[in-house]
Amino acid sequence: FSFPNQESRGVFQRIGYQKVGNSWRGAQLLRSFPKLRQQNYPLPVAAVAGFGMDLVFRSRNMLSLFSEQDGLRGVLLDVPDQRWGVFWNARLPDLWFGGVHDLSYVHWRYQLSPTESNRYFCLLDEMDNLLGYLVFSTQGEVLMVDDIQVLKERLLKPLLARFWKRMREAGETVINLSVVGSPVLLDSLNQAGFVTRDTDGWAGMLVGPRLDICLPQLLEQQNKKWYLASAELDL
C-alpha cells in the first residue's frame, strides 16, 4: 500500500501501483467555541453560537448512546493486552479492512514508535471482551485517529459515540480521521457524526506483474464496507 503525495503520484503509477481510491478526511467537533474563535468570530458571538452548537452535538451523542444496547462501555488503555488475540480470532466478515492488526502488529506499529504517544480507546461488553478499538494520538488541539477496528459493523457507531463523549469530558477540541474506503463505509462515518473535509489524497496498491487483477473492480465487487487507514502506511 502507499499514500503518495501529488508530486510522486506519477512515479508510483509508472512502476505499477493501481489506484484503489481517494482519501477521505472527516472531522468531529467536540467543543465549538475554540474553533469559532480561531475563525475570528467576536467573543460574544462565539460564546453564544458555541453554546448552541455544543448543545446540538451533546444531544445527538446522548440520543446515539441511548439507542444502543446496554452493557457496552468505553475504556482508555495505554498499552494493548492479550484481548487483541481473541478479538482477531472472533472477527466476522461483514467488514473488510486492510490487514490483520493483531497484538503483534499493533505492538510493532504503535508501541515501538519513539515519536508519538498512541493510546487505545476500547469498546468492551459486560464480560470485558474486546468488541472494537481505535488508536489515536494528540497533535496540538487535534486528536488524530490512525485506526479503527470493530467485530461487527453495527459496533462502529457505539465505539465512536463513546469516544466522542470521553474526549469531550477530557477537554479536547476536535477529532480528525483520514481513510480511503468504500462509499458505504464513508457514509457510515458521516452518520456517526464526522463532517467531510477537503483533501486531495490518493491511495494505491502494488500488484505483482504476473497477477492480472483490477483492484478497483475487485473492491467494488466486495459489496462490503472496507477501508485503508494510516495504519497501513508501513505495509
Side-chain angles (χ1 to χ4, degrees), residues 93-125:
D94 67 336
L95 287 166
W96 192 35
F97 293 117
V100 176
H101 297 184
D102 57 14
L103 182 59
S104 60
Y105 172 86
V106 171
H107 177 73
W108 165 77
R109 179 63 177 83
Y110 299 110
Q111 297 303 116
L112 298 181
S113 173
T115 59
E116 293 185 1
S117 177
N118 296 287
R119 302 189 71 188
Y120 307 84
F121 187 81
C122 305
L123 184 68
L124 306 177
D125 63 13

